[in-house]
Amino acid sequence: MSGHDVAVTGLGLLTPAGIGVGDTWEGVRAGRSTATADPELAGLPVEFSCRLPDVDIDARLGRRLSRRVDRFSAMALIAAREAVADAGLGEPWHAEAEGREADWDPDRVAVLLGVGSNSLATYPEEFGRLNEERPDRVSPLALTRSVPNFAASEVSTDLGAAGPSMAISTACSSGAMALGTARSLIESGACDVVIAGGSESARAAMTAACFAQMRALSQRGDEPERASRPFDAERDGFVLGEGAGILVLERAEHARARSARVYARLTGFGASCDAYHVVAPRPDGEGIVGATRAALADSGWEPQDVGHINAHATSTRLNDRAEAHALHRLFGTPPPVTATKSVIGHSLGAAGAIEAATTVLSVHYGTIPPTANLDTLDEDIDLDVVTGKERGTWAPTALSNSFGFGGQNAVLAFEGP
């Protein structure tokens, strides 16, 4: 590993499969959907989602902080604290108080978080006050609770990271784009450590209503646990989810100097835009092909070097088909594929980061988690999809795919240390 190779030294996860990395990984490996009826969506066209298990945010963050931030920022804070602790990095002020040298130079630690949109849970309540002609009752915290960059800002403040702090917003590829951009900061020599990933709750009523009107959500309300079914012939849309995924990316030399444990390396990143349609993917998958080729070239890999792919695989008819077509164009016979959204739903801007984290764990432990609810493969999708139970991987290399509205494509390449 060269001095600017990018090591993954810490992980933090909050997902419908579990609170924390261990519980999430076990839930994803089990391959069982977490979709259930959602009281917050009652009365809407789609009344189910994949939501976090009970988590006491007040207890984890303290009442004052938890009341100041919106749910997407709270999830980011909890996941970032787990990731930094997992990486064995102590905050600078702790080191100073203990009379020892800090593990990082705060000025060379960045925070980049993907967020698909501002909080559609906070604004309706505040707009209601305006509509009642009570602007004096609008909360002064409405902006700071909802503006997308405040997740990154809160994490930077919480951890004392004084380097660049920003939001990356490219729809459902936001989390993956944040990781790719973070890699560039390290490669350029600008940063030693980047706390990167994504956080979002897609369970707001407005979000659910909009996606339902677009006919993007599964209508399988009588059996929600079978609704998210990527690549299946009977798929009818995705299931809303929520969560946060944070990775600590570190310059390899910096990680070696402190004898850090390395899960994997982020060896490549590719991005593209379909330049085709506001929401629909290019049917031929050309944008996906371009982003994947860029990630492979960045890694120095040939297609046959890829051990498996964590697919974007939303469970919509157009997206799954376009992704499958792109993989066939690239690989001829694609490597094994898994689809994490079948278990935890689609957390929009956080999805790419959560799936990147599970891909890192797959590479680290040498196993590919199964895809839930795939009963009959769509006849137009000829892929080796891992189902039923986890499968060992023949190579410690993997791609993690993330695509989004506006034709945004991001592909990350991970390799064992």
Side-chain angles (χ1 to χ4, degrees), residues 10-63:
L11 299 172
L13 285 168
L14 277 81
T15 76
I19 304 302
V21 171
D23 286 349
T24 290
W25 180 235
E26 289 306 309
V28 169
R29 287 177 61 201
R32 290 189 297 272
S33 172
T34 58
T36 59
D38 188 338
E40 293 188 21
L41 304 182
L44 295 175
V46 174
E47 299 181 314
F48 60 92
S49 73
C50 294
R51 61 187 192 275
L52 296 185
D54 289 339
V55 53
D56 189 337
I57 292 176
D58 282 0
R60 288 176 177 266
L61 298 182
R63 186 175 177 82

Side-chain angles (χ1 to χ4, degrees), residues 10 42 44 48 55 131 159 211 221 225 229 247 252 262 290 307 322 333 337 353:
L44 295 175
F48 60 92
V55 53
N131 291 337
L159 298 177
F211 278 122
E225 70 282 358
R229 42 196 321 110
L247 285 71
V262 175
T333 301
V337 169

Side-chain angles (χ1 to χ4, degrees), residues 152-197:
S153 176
E154 291 285 1
V155 168
S156 294
T157 301
D158 191 61
L159 298 177
S165 178
M166 66 186 80
I168 305 293
S169 188
T170 55
C172 299
S173 67
S174 298
M177 288 285 191
L179 288 162
T181 305
R183 180 173 180 270
S184 298
L185 279 176
I186 293 174
E187 283 195 311
S188 72
C191 293
D192 297 323
V193 176
V194 184
I195 300 160

Side-chain angles (χ1 to χ4, degrees), residues 39-219:
E40 293 188 21
L41 304 182
L44 295 175
V46 174
E47 299 181 314
F48 60 92
S49 73
C50 294
R51 61 187 192 275
L52 296 185
D54 289 339
V55 53
D56 189 337
I57 292 176
D58 282 0
R60 288 176 177 266
L61 298 182
R63 186 175 177 82
R64 183 176 180 181
L65 176 56
S66 69
R67 289 295 181 265
R68 189 178 78 214
V69 299
D70 210 298
R71 189 170 178 84
F72 75 98
S73 293
M75 292 188 297
L77 283 162
I78 294 169
R81 288 179 178 181
E82 180 186 22
V84 168
D86 187 44
L89 289 166
E91 293 91 335
W93 54 77
H94 288 173
E96 183 177 348
E98 295 164 9
R100 60 180 178 81
E101 187 175 347
D103 297 315
W104 66 27
D105 175 355
D107 293 334
R108 292 182 56 80
V109 179
V111 177
L112 272 66
L113 296 185
V115 179
S117 69
N118 60 352
S119 175
L120 293 180
T122 289
Y123 271 137
E125 182 177 349
E126 304 301 335
F127 278 124
R129 295 188 174 105
L130 282 179
N131 291 337
E132 295 166 1
E133 298 184 356
R134 294 299 308 274
D136 58 308
R137 298 295 301 275
V138 172
S139 170
L141 297 177
L143 282 176
T144 57
R145 284 174 60 88
S146 60
V147 174
N149 78 292
F150 270 84
S153 176
E154 291 285 1
V155 168
S156 294
T157 301
D158 191 61
L159 298 177
S165 178
M166 66 186 80
I168 305 293
S169 188
T170 55
C172 299
S173 67
S174 298
M177 288 285 191
L179 288 162
T181 305
R183 180 173 180 270
S184 298
L185 279 176
I186 293 174
E187 283 195 311
S188 72
C191 293
D192 297 323
V193 176
V194 184
I195 300 160
S199 181
E200 190 150 2
S201 179
R203 293 172 46 240
M206 180 63 76
T207 305
C210 287
F211 278 122
Q213 288 292 92
M214 295 171 66
R215 301 182 185 276
L217 298 182
S218 172
Q219 302 290 317

